[in-house]
Amino acid sequence: MHDSILHILNTTKTRIQAFGPDIHKEEPQPQFQKRDFIAAIAAARAEGRAPVIAEVKPASPGKSFREISPAAAAELAWEMEEAGAVAISVLTEPGVFRGSLENLKEVRKTVCLPVLRKDFVIDRVQLEEEGSDLVLLIAGILGKELGAFVELAIEKGFEPLVEVHSREELKLALETSTRVIGINNRNFETLKIDLATTEELAPFIREYDLDHGTSHIIVSESGMNSSSDVRRVMQAGADAVLIGSALMESDSVFEKN
């Protein structure tokens, strides 16, 4: 695993340790009506639109886009909703990605769309934090614990989005109850991006669904910089795309969409 990813995992462990014992008391989160991500995807597809999950992303490894306060995150998310996004992804990892739970909270208060919390979830106490409609669970990080985290996320009211990058990770994901699988085109070993990852893995998910009578939503993540990139992964079998960096680098969310 790349040094920058290991650094994030180490700082995440430190962040969790700082929570102290009180968070383990499992005080209930405020109840809210979960917004239906799968229905949002279906509605966009029925209208002939490529479903885009737009990401509020202050930074990424080795690159800073802009500082984003909770108020700015809310305004940006509103623009993304107006521009036609089907869901909003919010980075909450505070170190490398400069995200925050406050950004997540303000975004969900502002938009009507499903909201994905994107972070490096490695401990169940992270699922006791701010609520969201979807939560990212990374197969390459959780490994054999993935299934237990998926079940806990569902129990807590989240729609888990399980992220994979290889056939081995995909096998783990398909053994869980998740309905949404994200294919990350970024390699965690090298941080290089290759859209061929979606082209390789999406057909395996479709074949699995045909053989088992299941149905998974496939989200292609990372590396979409143009409409041709989006078409490429959609033709490979993706149901939706998650776009962050390209939107953050654009002068206008409306222009990019």
Side-chain angles (χ1 to χ4, degrees):
M1 200 165 284
H2 195 275
D3 285 348
S4 64
I5 303 298
L6 292 174
H7 170 71
I8 292 171
L9 294 176
N10 286 332
T11 56
T12 301
K13 289 174 186 174
T14 302
R15 180 162 40 115
I16 292 166
Q17 289 166 358
F19 289 161
D22 288 345
I23 199 164
H24 288 276
K25 291 179 181 177
E26 302 215 3
E27 295 179 6
Q29 294 175 1
Q31 290 299 307
F32 59 84
Q33 186 67 38
K34 185 172 74 174
R35 299 166 187 170
D36 194 334
F37 173 71
I38 291 175
I41 297 291
R45 294 297 297 267
E47 294 170 4
R49 295 189 291 121
V52 174
I53 305 168
E55 189 159 82
V56 177
K57 184 178 187 179
S60 64
K63 184 181 289 188
S64 179
F65 300 114
R66 68 186 91 156
E67 292 296 329
I68 301 179
S69 67
E75 182 177 357
L76 183 57
W78 178 84
E79 291 176 357
M80 290 169 168
E81 182 173 34
E82 288 295 297
V86 299
I88 306 294
S89 171
V90 181
L91 264 299
T92 60
E93 193 281 322
V96 171
F97 289 92
R98 300 185 186 176
S100 72
L101 289 168
E102 290 76 17
N103 285 2
L104 177 69
K105 184 177 183 178
E106 287 303 309
V107 165
R108 198 175 187 282
K109 279 168 54 179
T110 302
V111 301
C112 297
L113 299 176
V115 176
L116 163 69
R117 178 188 177 183
K118 198 171 178 189
D119 206 326
F120 291 75
V121 174
I122 57 172
D123 192 299
R124 62 180 291 142
V125 301
Q126 290 170 279
L127 299 179
E128 307 291 341
E129 297 179 295
E130 188 64 41
S132 59
D133 303 287
L134 301 100
V135 64
L136 178 71
L137 299 174
I138 303 173
I141 289 172
L142 292 173
K144 292 180 180 178
E145 293 185 86
L146 178 65
F149 271 84
V150 167
E151 293 303 321
L152 181 60
I154 293 170
E155 179 186 317
K156 296 287 184 186
F158 300 101
E159 184 78 58
L161 188 161
V162 174
E163 180 179 288
V164 303
H165 179 74
S166 66
R167 293 190 191 185
E168 293 75 17
E169 293 171 8
L170 177 57
K171 184 174 183 295
L172 284 175
L174 291 171
E175 290 171 352
T176 74
S177 302
T178 189
R179 301 191 297 170
V180 186
I181 296 178
I183 299 174
N184 193 346
N185 298 306
R186 186 187 297 277
N187 187 320
F188 271 8
E189 299 289 339
T190 64
L191 297 187
K192 292 183 178 178
I193 295 173
D194 188 350
L195 298 184
T197 308
T198 294
E199 292 173 323
E200 177 192 357
L201 297 182
F204 282 100
I205 302 172
R206 294 291 177 233
E207 183 179 344
Y208 179 93
D209 284 346
L210 282 173
D211 290 346
H212 294 82
T214 51
S215 179
H216 289 90
I217 294 293
I218 302 172
V219 180
S220 184
E221 307 169 15
S222 301
M224 268 70 67
N225 294 301
S226 66
S227 56
S228 61
D229 289 336
V230 173
R231 280 194 298 272
R232 177 178 170 185
V233 297
M234 297 289 284
Q235 287 169 358
D239 295 295
V241 294
L242 188 150
I243 300 178
S245 298
L247 290 177
M248 292 296 98
E249 291 172 334
S250 175
D251 291 334
S252 167
V253 168
F254 295 95
E255 268 182 31
K256 198 66 184 179
N257 275 20

Coordinates of all heavy atoms in Angstrom, one line a residue, residues 61-126:
P61 N -4.3 13.3 -2.1 CA -2.9 13.1 -1.9 C -2.0 13.9 -2.9 O -2.1 13.7 -4.1 CB -2.7 11.6 -2.1 CG -4.0 11.0 -1.7 CD -5.1 12.0 -2.2
G62 N -1.2 14.7 -2.4 CA -0.3 15.5 -3.2 C -0.9 16.7 -3.9 O -0.3 17.4 -4.7
K63 N -2.2 17.0 -3.7 CA -2.9 18.1 -4.4 C -3.9 18.7 -3.5 O -4.7 18.1 -2.9 CB -3.5 17.5 -5.7 CG -4.2 18.6 -6.6 CD -4.8 18.0 -7.8 CE -3.8 17.5 -8.8 NZ -4.4 17.1 -10.1
S64 N -3.9 20.1 -3.5 CA -4.8 20.8 -2.7 C -5.7 21.6 -3.7 O -5.2 22.3 -4.6 CB -4.2 21.7 -1.7 OG -5.1 22.5 -1.0
F65 N -7.0 21.5 -3.6 CA -7.9 22.3 -4.5 C -8.3 23.6 -3.8 O -8.0 24.7 -4.4 CB -9.1 21.4 -4.8 CG -8.8 20.1 -5.4 CD1 -9.1 18.9 -4.8 CD2 -8.2 20.1 -6.7 CE1 -8.8 17.7 -5.4 CE2 -7.9 18.9 -7.3 CZ -8.2 17.7 -6.6
R66 N -8.9 23.6 -2.7 CA -9.3 24.8 -2.0 C -9.8 24.4 -0.6 O -10.2 23.3 -0.3 CB -10.4 25.5 -2.7 CG -11.7 24.8 -2.7 CD -12.8 25.4 -3.6 NE -12.8 24.9 -4.9 CZ -13.8 24.9 -5.8 NH1 -15.0 25.5 -5.4 NH2 -13.8 24.4 -7.0
E67 N -9.6 25.4 0.3 CA -10.2 25.2 1.7 C -11.7 25.3 1.6 O -12.2 26.2 0.9 CB -9.6 26.2 2.6 CG -8.1 26.1 2.9 CD -7.8 24.8 3.7 OE1 -8.6 24.3 4.4 OE2 -6.7 24.2 3.4
I68 N -12.4 24.4 2.2 CA -13.8 24.4 2.1 C -14.4 24.4 3.5 O -14.3 23.4 4.2 CB -14.4 23.2 1.3 CG1 -13.8 23.2 -0.1 CG2 -15.9 23.2 1.2 CD1 -14.2 22.1 -1.0
S69 N -15.0 25.5 3.9 CA -15.7 25.6 5.2 C -17.0 24.9 5.1 O -17.5 24.6 4.0 CB -15.9 27.1 5.5 OG -16.9 27.6 4.6
P70 N -17.7 24.6 6.2 CA -19.0 24.0 6.2 C -20.0 24.8 5.3 O -20.8 24.2 4.5 CB -19.4 23.9 7.6 CG -18.2 23.8 8.4 CD -17.2 24.6 7.6
A71 N -20.0 26.1 5.4 CA -20.9 26.9 4.6 C -20.6 26.8 3.2 O -21.5 26.8 2.3 CB -20.8 28.4 5.1
A72 N -19.3 26.8 2.8 CA -18.9 26.7 1.4 C -19.2 25.3 0.9 O -19.6 25.2 -0.3 CB -17.4 27.0 1.3
A73 N -19.1 24.3 1.7 CA -19.4 22.9 1.3 C -20.9 22.9 1.0 O -21.3 22.2 0.0 CB -19.1 21.9 2.4
A74 N -21.7 23.5 1.8 CA -23.2 23.5 1.6 C -23.5 24.2 0.3 O -24.3 23.7 -0.5 CB -23.9 24.1 2.8
E75 N -22.9 25.3 0.0 CA -23.1 26.1 -1.2 C -22.7 25.3 -2.4 O -23.4 25.2 -3.4 CB -22.4 27.4 -1.2 CG -22.7 28.3 -2.4 CD -22.1 29.7 -2.3 OE1 -21.4 30.0 -1.3 OE2 -22.2 30.4 -3.3
L76 N -21.5 24.7 -2.3 CA -21.0 23.9 -3.4 C -21.9 22.7 -3.7 O -22.3 22.4 -4.9 CB -19.6 23.4 -3.1 CG -18.9 22.6 -4.2 CD1 -18.7 23.4 -5.5 CD2 -17.5 22.2 -3.7
A77 N -22.4 22.0 -2.7 CA -23.3 20.9 -2.8 C -24.6 21.3 -3.5 O -25.2 20.6 -4.3 CB -23.5 20.2 -1.5
W78 N -25.1 22.5 -3.1 CA -26.4 23.0 -3.7 C -26.2 23.2 -5.2 O -27.0 22.9 -6.0 CB -26.8 24.3 -3.0 CG -28.0 24.9 -3.6 CD1 -29.3 24.6 -3.3 CD2 -28.0 25.9 -4.6 NE1 -30.1 25.3 -4.1 CE2 -29.4 26.2 -4.9 CE3 -27.1 26.6 -5.3 CZ2 -29.8 27.1 -5.9 CZ3 -27.5 27.5 -6.3 CH2 -28.8 27.8 -6.5
E79 N -25.0 23.8 -5.6 CA -24.7 24.0 -7.0 C -24.7 22.6 -7.7 O -25.2 22.5 -8.8 CB -23.4 24.7 -7.1 CG -23.4 26.2 -6.7 CD -22.1 26.8 -6.8 OE1 -21.1 26.1 -7.2 OE2 -22.0 28.0 -6.5
M80 N -24.1 21.6 -7.1 CA -24.0 20.3 -7.7 C -25.4 19.7 -7.9 O -25.7 19.1 -8.9 CB -23.1 19.4 -6.8 CG -21.7 19.7 -6.8 SD -20.7 18.9 -5.5 CE -19.0 19.2 -6.0
E81 N -26.3 19.9 -6.9 CA -27.6 19.4 -7.0 C -28.3 20.1 -8.1 O -29.0 19.5 -9.0 CB -28.4 19.6 -5.7 CG -29.8 19.1 -5.7 CD -30.5 19.2 -4.3 OE1 -30.2 20.2 -3.6 OE2 -31.3 18.3 -4.0
E82 N -28.2 21.4 -8.2 CA -28.8 22.2 -9.3 C -28.3 21.8 -10.6 O -29.1 21.8 -11.6 CB -28.6 23.7 -9.1 CG -29.4 24.3 -7.9 CD -30.9 24.3 -8.1 OE1 -31.3 24.9 -9.1 OE2 -31.6 23.6 -7.4
A83 N -27.1 21.4 -10.7 CA -26.4 21.0 -12.0 C -26.8 19.6 -12.4 O -26.5 19.2 -13.5 CB -24.9 21.1 -11.9
G84 N -27.5 18.8 -11.5 CA -28.0 17.5 -12.0 C -27.4 16.3 -11.3 O -27.7 15.2 -11.8
A85 N -26.6 16.5 -10.3 CA -26.0 15.3 -9.6 C -27.1 14.5 -9.0 O -28.2 15.0 -8.6 CB -25.0 15.8 -8.5
V86 N -26.9 13.2 -8.9 CA -27.9 12.3 -8.3 C -27.6 12.1 -6.8 O -28.4 11.6 -6.0 CB -27.9 10.9 -9.0 CG1 -28.4 11.1 -10.4 CG2 -26.6 10.2 -8.9
A87 N -26.3 12.4 -6.4 CA -25.9 12.3 -5.0 C -24.7 13.1 -4.7 O -24.0 13.5 -5.7 CB -25.6 10.8 -4.6
I88 N -24.4 13.4 -3.5 CA -23.3 14.2 -3.1 C -22.4 13.4 -2.2 O -22.8 12.8 -1.3 CB -23.7 15.5 -2.4 CG1 -24.7 16.3 -3.1 CG2 -22.4 16.3 -2.1 CD1 -24.2 16.9 -4.4
S89 N -21.1 13.3 -2.6 CA -20.1 12.7 -1.7 C -19.3 13.8 -1.0 O -18.9 14.8 -1.6 CB -19.1 11.9 -2.6 OG -18.0 11.4 -1.8
V90 N -19.1 13.5 0.3 CA -18.4 14.5 1.1 C -17.2 13.8 1.8 O -17.4 12.9 2.6 CB -19.3 15.1 2.2 CG1 -18.6 16.2 3.0 CG2 -20.6 15.8 1.5
L91 N -16.0 14.4 1.6 CA -14.8 13.9 2.3 C -14.9 14.3 3.7 O -15.1 15.5 4.0 CB -13.6 14.4 1.6 CG -12.9 13.5 0.6 CD1 -12.4 12.2 1.1 CD2 -13.7 13.3 -0.7
T92 N -14.7 13.4 4.6 CA -14.6 13.8 6.1 C -13.2 13.5 6.7 O -13.0 13.8 7.8 CB -15.7 13.1 6.9 OG1 -15.5 11.6 6.8 CG2 -17.1 13.5 6.4
E93 N -12.3 12.9 5.9 CA -10.9 12.7 6.4 C -10.3 14.0 6.5 O -10.1 14.7 5.5 CB -10.2 11.7 5.5 CG -8.9 11.2 6.0 CD -7.7 12.2 6.0 OE1 -7.6 12.9 5.0 OE2 -6.9 12.2 6.9
P94 N -9.8 14.4 7.8 CA -9.4 15.8 8.0 C -7.9 16.1 7.6 O -7.5 17.3 7.5 CB -9.6 16.0 9.5 CG -9.4 14.6 10.1 CD -9.9 13.7 9.0
G95 N -7.1 15.1 7.5 CA -5.7 15.3 7.3 C -5.3 15.5 5.8 O -5.2 16.7 5.3
V96 N -5.1 14.5 5.1 CA -4.7 14.6 3.7 C -5.8 15.2 2.8 O -5.5 16.0 1.9 CB -4.3 13.2 3.1 CG1 -4.1 13.2 1.6 CG2 -3.0 12.7 3.8
F97 N -7.1 14.8 3.0 CA -8.2 15.3 2.2 C -8.8 16.6 2.7 O -9.7 17.2 2.1 CB -9.3 14.2 2.0 CG -8.8 13.1 1.2 CD1 -8.2 12.0 1.7 CD2 -9.0 13.1 -0.2 CE1 -7.8 10.9 0.9 CE2 -8.5 12.1 -1.0 CZ -7.9 11.0 -0.4
R98 N -8.5 17.0 4.0 CA -8.9 18.3 4.6 C -10.5 18.4 4.7 O -11.0 19.4 4.6 CB -8.4 19.5 3.8 CG -6.8 19.5 3.8 CD -6.3 20.8 3.2 NE -4.9 20.7 3.1 CZ -4.2 21.7 2.4 NH1 -4.8 22.7 1.9 NH2 -2.9 21.6 2.4
G99 N -11.1 17.2 4.8 CA -12.5 17.2 5.0 C -12.9 17.3 6.4 O -12.1 17.5 7.3
S100 N -14.2 17.3 6.7 CA -14.7 17.3 8.1 C -16.1 16.8 8.2 O -16.9 16.8 7.2 CB -14.7 18.8 8.5 OG -15.7 19.6 7.9
L101 N -16.5 16.4 9.4 CA -17.8 16.0 9.7 C -18.8 17.2 9.6 O -20.0 17.0 9.3 CB -17.9 15.3 11.1 CG -17.2 13.9 11.2 CD1 -17.1 13.5 12.6 CD2 -18.0 12.9 10.4
E102 N -18.3 18.3 10.0 CA -19.1 19.6 9.9 C -19.5 19.8 8.5 O -20.7 20.2 8.2 CB -18.3 20.8 10.4 CG -18.1 20.7 11.9 CD -17.0 19.8 12.4 OE1 -16.2 19.3 11.5 OE2 -16.9 19.4 13.6
N103 N -18.6 19.6 7.5 CA -19.0 19.8 6.1 C -20.1 18.8 5.7 O -21.1 19.1 5.1 CB -17.8 19.5 5.2 CG -16.8 20.7 5.2 OD1 -17.0 21.7 5.9 ND2 -15.8 20.5 4.4
L104 N -20.0 17.5 6.2 CA -21.0 16.5 5.9 C -22.4 16.9 6.5 O -23.4 16.9 5.8 CB -20.5 15.2 6.5 CG -21.5 14.0 6.4 CD1 -21.6 13.5 5.0 CD2 -21.1 12.9 7.3
K105 N -22.4 17.4 7.7 CA -23.6 17.8 8.4 C -24.3 18.9 7.6 O -25.5 18.9 7.4 CB -23.3 18.2 9.8 CG -24.5 18.5 10.6 CD -24.2 18.9 12.1 CE -25.4 19.1 12.9 NZ -25.0 19.4 14.3
E106 N -23.5 20.0 7.2 CA -24.1 21.1 6.6 C -24.6 20.8 5.2 O -25.6 21.3 4.7 CB -23.1 22.3 6.5 CG -22.8 22.9 7.8 CD -24.1 23.5 8.4 OE1 -24.9 24.2 7.7 OE2 -24.4 23.2 9.6
V107 N -23.9 19.9 4.5 CA -24.3 19.5 3.1 C -25.6 18.8 3.2 O -26.5 19.0 2.5 CB -23.2 18.6 2.5 CG1 -23.8 17.9 1.2 CG2 -22.0 19.4 2.0
R108 N -25.7 17.8 4.1 CA -27.0 17.1 4.2 C -28.2 17.9 4.6 O -29.3 17.7 4.2 CB -26.8 15.8 5.1 CG -28.0 14.8 4.8 CD -27.9 13.6 5.6 NE -28.9 12.6 5.1 CZ -30.2 12.7 5.4 NH1 -30.6 13.7 6.3 NH2 -31.0 11.9 4.9
K109 N -27.9 19.0 5.4 CA -29.0 19.9 5.8 C -29.4 20.7 4.6 O -30.6 21.2 4.6 CB -28.5 20.8 6.9 CG -28.5 20.2 8.3 CD -27.8 21.1 9.3 CE -28.2 22.5 9.3 NZ -27.5 23.3 10.3
T110 N -28.5 20.9 3.6 CA -28.8 21.9 2.6 C -29.4 21.2 1.3 O -30.3 21.8 0.7 CB -27.5 22.5 2.1 OG1 -26.9 23.2 3.3 CG2 -27.7 23.5 1.0
V111 N -29.0 20.0 1.0 CA -29.5 19.4 -0.3 C -30.6 18.3 0.1 O -30.7 17.9 1.2 CB -28.3 18.7 -1.0 CG1 -27.3 19.7 -1.4 CG2 -27.7 17.5 -0.3
C112 N -31.3 18.0 -1.0 CA -32.3 16.9 -0.9 C -31.8 15.6 -1.4 O -32.6 14.6 -1.3 CB -33.6 17.3 -1.7 SG -34.3 18.8 -1.0
L113 N -30.6 15.5 -1.9 CA -30.1 14.3 -2.5 C -29.5 13.4 -1.5 O -29.2 13.8 -0.3 CB -28.9 14.7 -3.5 CG -29.3 15.6 -4.7 CD1 -28.0 15.9 -5.4 CD2 -30.3 14.9 -5.6
P114 N -29.3 12.1 -1.8 CA -28.6 11.2 -0.9 C -27.1 11.7 -0.8 O -26.5 12.2 -1.7 CB -28.6 9.9 -1.7 CG -29.7 10.0 -2.6 CD -29.8 11.4 -3.0
V115 N -26.6 11.6 0.4 CA -25.2 12.0 0.7 C -24.4 10.9 1.2 O -24.8 10.1 2.1 CB -25.3 13.1 1.8 CG1 -23.8 13.6 2.2 CG2 -26.1 14.4 1.3
L116 N -23.2 10.7 0.6 CA -22.2 9.7 0.9 C -21.1 10.3 1.8 O -20.5 11.3 1.5 CB -21.6 9.2 -0.4 CG -20.3 8.4 -0.3 CD1 -20.5 7.0 0.4 CD2 -19.7 8.2 -1.7
R117 N -20.9 9.6 2.9 CA -19.7 10.0 3.7 C -18.5 9.2 3.2 O -18.5 8.0 3.2 CB -19.9 9.6 5.2 CG -18.6 10.0 6.0 CD -18.7 9.5 7.4 NE -17.4 9.8 8.0 CZ -17.0 9.5 9.3 NH1 -17.9 8.8 10.0 NH2 -15.8 9.8 9.8
K118 N -17.5 9.9 2.8 CA -16.3 9.3 2.2 C -15.1 9.5 3.2 O -14.7 10.6 3.4 CB -16.0 9.8 0.8 CG -15.0 9.0 0.0 CD -14.9 9.5 -1.4 CE -14.0 8.6 -2.2 NZ -13.7 9.2 -3.5
D119 N -14.7 8.4 3.8 CA -13.6 8.4 4.7 C -12.9 7.1 4.8 O -13.3 6.2 4.0 CB -14.1 8.8 6.1 CG -13.1 9.5 7.0 OD1 -11.9 9.1 6.9 OD2 -13.5 10.4 7.8
F120 N -12.0 6.9 5.6 CA -11.3 5.6 5.8 C -11.8 5.0 7.1 O -11.3 5.2 8.2 CB -9.8 5.8 5.8 CG -9.2 6.3 4.5 CD1 -9.4 7.6 4.1 CD2 -8.5 5.4 3.7 CE1 -8.9 8.0 2.8 CE2 -8.0 5.7 2.5 CZ -8.2 7.0 2.0
V121 N -12.9 4.2 6.9 CA -13.6 3.6 8.1 C -12.8 2.4 8.5 O -12.7 1.4 7.7 CB -15.1 3.3 7.8 CG1 -15.7 2.6 8.9 CG2 -15.8 4.6 7.5
I122 N -12.3 2.4 9.7 CA -11.5 1.2 10.2 C -12.0 0.7 11.5 O -11.5 -0.3 12.0 CB -10.0 1.5 10.2 CG1 -9.7 2.7 11.1 CG2 -9.5 1.7 8.8 CD1 -8.3 3.0 11.4
D123 N -12.9 1.5 12.1 CA -13.4 1.2 13.5 C -14.9 1.4 13.5 O -15.4 2.4 13.0 CB -12.6 2.0 14.5 CG -12.9 1.6 15.9 OD1 -14.0 1.6 16.4 OD2 -11.9 1.2 16.6
R124 N -15.6 0.6 14.3 CA -17.0 0.7 14.3 C -17.5 2.0 14.9 O -18.6 2.5 14.7 CB -17.6 -0.5 15.1 CG -17.2 -0.6 16.5 CD -17.8 -1.8 17.2 NE -19.2 -1.6 17.4 CZ -20.2 -2.5 17.3 NH1 -19.9 -3.7 17.0 NH2 -21.4 -2.2 17.5
V125 N -16.6 2.6 15.8 CA -17.0 3.9 16.4 C -17.2 5.0 15.4 O -18.0 6.0 15.6 CB -16.0 4.4 17.5 CG1 -15.9 3.3 18.6 CG2 -14.7 4.7 16.9
Q126 N -16.6 4.8 14.2 CA -16.8 5.9 13.1 C -18.2 5.9 12.6 O -18.7 6.9 12.1 CB -15.8 5.6 12.0 CG -14.3 5.9 12.4 CD -13.3 5.5 11.4 OE1 -13.0 4.3 11.3 NE2 -12.9 6.4 10.5

